Amino acid sequence: IGSCLFAHSVHPEYEFYISIVASSSSIISVLVSIIEIIHVRNTTEAVSQSLDETKREINEFLSFSEINEMTRLIDEIEAYINDNHYESAWLKLKDFKGQLDKQSAYIEKMHQFSDFPKKLKMQKVHLSMDIRNLFKKINDTSTPLEKNVIIDHLDSTKECLNELSGRLKVERL
């Protein structure tokens, strides 16, 4: 009703100007809407990228902390071996190898560490042999056990993990 009254109260020669102003404001409103849509899309993309980066950092942190835990576990396994607690060493070594398998799968996905899967593969082969040798020793106490070989394998694995941990630190800086 108000628009009808307004239309009747406007002088006919001003209707053209009012129409131009109304059309211009409609066009400006559409342009502002388009700009806002683009802005929201860019914000969404930025949030998505930030989320992906945060996930990557969390995975690296978890990987980093797990690697540090694994090096601590190596020290524990070596202590069990040196103290002739072969059952405990065997159980811990099996757990350690499982963690190493998990880390290896994660590391293979990280392109900047492409040389590590090869290094870790040989370590896993040695650890599998060490697990078998410990198991044989547990089941037959007369079976000789080369502690030094197992400890050398563990130390070699620890060196590899320390190198990986150092490279993860550098990547984060």
Side-chain angles (χ1 to χ4, degrees):
I1 296 175
S3 61
C4 289
L5 291 175
F6 180 73
H8 288 293
S9 65
V10 174
H11 197 280
E13 62 188 53
Y14 294 119
E15 285 180 11
F16 174 73
Y17 296 112
I18 292 173
S19 159
I20 289 178
V21 169
S23 296
S24 298
S25 65
S26 293
I27 290 171
I28 289 172
S29 296
V30 168
L31 290 175
V32 168
S33 296
I34 290 171
I35 290 170
E36 286 300 314
I37 289 170
I38 291 170
H39 178 57
V40 167
R41 187 185 75 209
N42 290 342
T43 302
T44 302
E45 288 174 0
V47 167
S48 177
Q49 288 174 350
S50 177
L51 183 62
D52 290 344
E53 178 66 21
T54 302
K55 284 180 184 177
R56 187 187 63 76
E57 287 177 3
I58 288 171
N59 286 337
E60 283 183 11
F61 175 75
L62 290 175
S63 179
F64 180 72
S65 65
E66 287 177 11
I67 289 171
N68 288 335
E69 175 63 24
M70 290 171 67
T71 57
R72 187 200 59 76
L73 189 55
I74 288 174
D75 294 334
E76 189 176 339
I77 295 167
E78 288 178 352
Y80 283 133
I81 291 171
N82 287 327
D83 293 340
N84 299 326
H85 297 303
Y86 301 124
E87 295 87 1
S88 297
W90 177 71
L91 289 171
K92 292 289 185 177
L93 190 55
K94 283 177 53 176
D95 289 342
F96 174 80
K97 181 153 179 321
Q99 290 178 5
L100 189 61
D101 289 340
K102 179 181 165 188
Q103 284 299 316
S104 296
Y106 174 71
I107 292 166
E108 285 177 14
K109 296 177 186 174
M110 301 173 69
H111 301 293
Q112 66 268 37
F113 300 118
S114 60
D115 55 327
F116 275 91
K118 294 173 195 162
K119 291 179 182 180
L120 292 177
K121 185 175 183 178
M122 183 54 75
Q123 301 305 325
K124 291 190 296 185
V125 168
H126 289 153
L127 294 175
S128 293
M129 290 186 311
D130 296 337
I131 289 169
R132 276 192 304 267
N133 290 336
L134 279 168
F135 185 74
K136 287 178 185 176
K137 179 67 174 175
I138 292 167
N139 289 319
D140 182 7
T141 55
S142 66
T143 301
L145 182 68
E146 296 181 23
K147 292 181 185 182
N148 292 337
V149 172
I150 295 173
I151 290 174
D152 285 346
H153 292 160
L154 289 169
D155 287 341
S156 177
T157 304
K158 187 176 183 179
E159 286 175 22
C160 188
L161 291 173
N162 285 333
E163 181 183 347
L164 179 61
S165 176
R167 285 185 52 186
L168 276 172
K169 285 179 188 176
V170 169
E171 285 287 321
R172 295 191 80 190
L173 298 177

